[in-house]
């Protein structure tokens, strides 16, 4: 997909596009790339969520984009500021891989699956429908969201290109 207006979203970052652009993030392993989209206004947002909960934060100033429980509300606020309507938001997501195999499957080592669970819990709590996902597995992904078509493009070395 080649578009001139590409908004890059880094790790533990979030951003919006309100002018028909494409949102892109790379390096999704255990991280989750979460898309929120208001189709009527064509306002899209993407968060690159690294961890499930800000309760484990050790930094004095929390990076809201880093945690599922803080990134999603922050993304909604930014989108509303650009003219999106919360009741029209839909979600798509990708990532949440279990990148490494461990002999003991402690909850602390399940970062990818916990990120997915936490994002889904927040979406449910906020009454935002999840219309598509490509999560799990043990491989990395790069995603692009085309806000003109409402399509999430997922690229992985193992499985090629997929659209949801």
């Amino acid at each position: 997909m080649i578009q001139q207006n590409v908004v890059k979203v880094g790790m533990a970052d979030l951003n919006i596009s309100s002018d028909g652009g494409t949102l892109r993030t790379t390096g999704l392993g255990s991280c989750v790339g979460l898309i929120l989209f208001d189709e009527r206004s064509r306002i899209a947002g993407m968060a690159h969520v690294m961890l499930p909960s800000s309760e484990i934060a050790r930094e004095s100033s929390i990076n809201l984009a880093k945690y599922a429980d803080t990134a999603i509300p922050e993304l909604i606020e930014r989108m509303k500021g650009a003219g999106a309507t919360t009741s029209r938001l839909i979600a798509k997501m990708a990532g949440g891989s279990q990148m490494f195999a461990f002999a003991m499957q402690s909850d602390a080592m399940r970062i990818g699956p916990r990120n997915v669970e936490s994002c889904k819990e927040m979406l449910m709590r906020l009454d935002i429908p999840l219309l598509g996902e490509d999560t799990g597995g043990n491989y990395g992904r790069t995603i692009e969201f085309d806000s003109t078509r409402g399509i999430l493009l997922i690229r992985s070395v193992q499985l090629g290109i997929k659209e949801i």
Side-chain angles (χ1 to χ4, degrees), residues 52-79:
S53 174
S54 60
E55 290 176 6
I56 62 173
R58 293 191 178 141
E59 60 267 32
S60 58
S61 177
I62 291 180
N63 173 358
L64 297 177
K66 188 175 184 177
Y67 306 96
D69 64 332
T70 54
I72 297 170
E74 176 66 16
L75 190 58
I76 291 168
E77 287 306 310
R78 289 195 192 181
M79 291 175 69

Side-chain angles (χ1 to χ4, degrees), residues 1 92 144-153 163-164:
M1 177 182 311
K92 295 182 180 185
E144 292 182 0
F145 185 76
D146 178 350
S147 66
T148 59
R149 298 186 310 138
I151 300 289
L152 180 61
L153 186 77
E163 286 186 357
I164 57 173

Side-chain angles (χ1 to χ4, degrees), residues 12-128:
D13 189 17
L14 55 82
N15 213 331
I16 66 168
S17 174
S18 58
D19 56 0
T22 296
L23 291 157
R24 177 185 299 150
T25 195
T26 61
L28 291 174
S30 61
C31 296
V32 168
L34 178 87
I35 304 297
L36 296 179
F37 184 52
D38 177 345
E39 187 174 20
R40 190 177 307 162
S41 68
R42 294 283 172 211
I43 296 170
M46 179 185 285
H48 186 130
V49 174
M50 274 183 69
L51 295 168
S53 174
S54 60
E55 290 176 6
I56 62 173
R58 293 191 178 141
E59 60 267 32
S60 58
S61 177
I62 291 180
N63 173 358
L64 297 177
K66 188 175 184 177
Y67 306 96
D69 64 332
T70 54
I72 297 170
E74 176 66 16
L75 190 58
I76 291 168
E77 287 306 310
R78 289 195 192 181
M79 291 175 69
K80 283 170 46 179
T85 301
T86 307
S87 62
R88 293 193 308 242
L89 294 179
I90 59 96
K92 295 182 180 185
M93 68 179 180
S97 293
Q98 182 64 42
M99 295 300 289
F100 306 102
F102 296 97
M104 295 176 60
Q105 285 294 333
S106 75
D107 206 41
M109 295 288 116
R110 295 180 56 251
I111 298 295
R114 285 176 48 222
N115 282 340
V116 171
E117 292 160 10
S118 192
C119 286
K120 286 181 176 180
E121 182 180 306
M122 282 302 299
L123 291 172
M124 194 178 315
R125 192 178 307 162
L126 296 166
D127 201 27
I128 299 172

Side-chain angles (χ1 to χ4, degrees), residues 129-140:
L130 178 63
L131 297 189
E133 68 178 294
D134 181 42
T135 57
N138 61 354
Y139 53 90

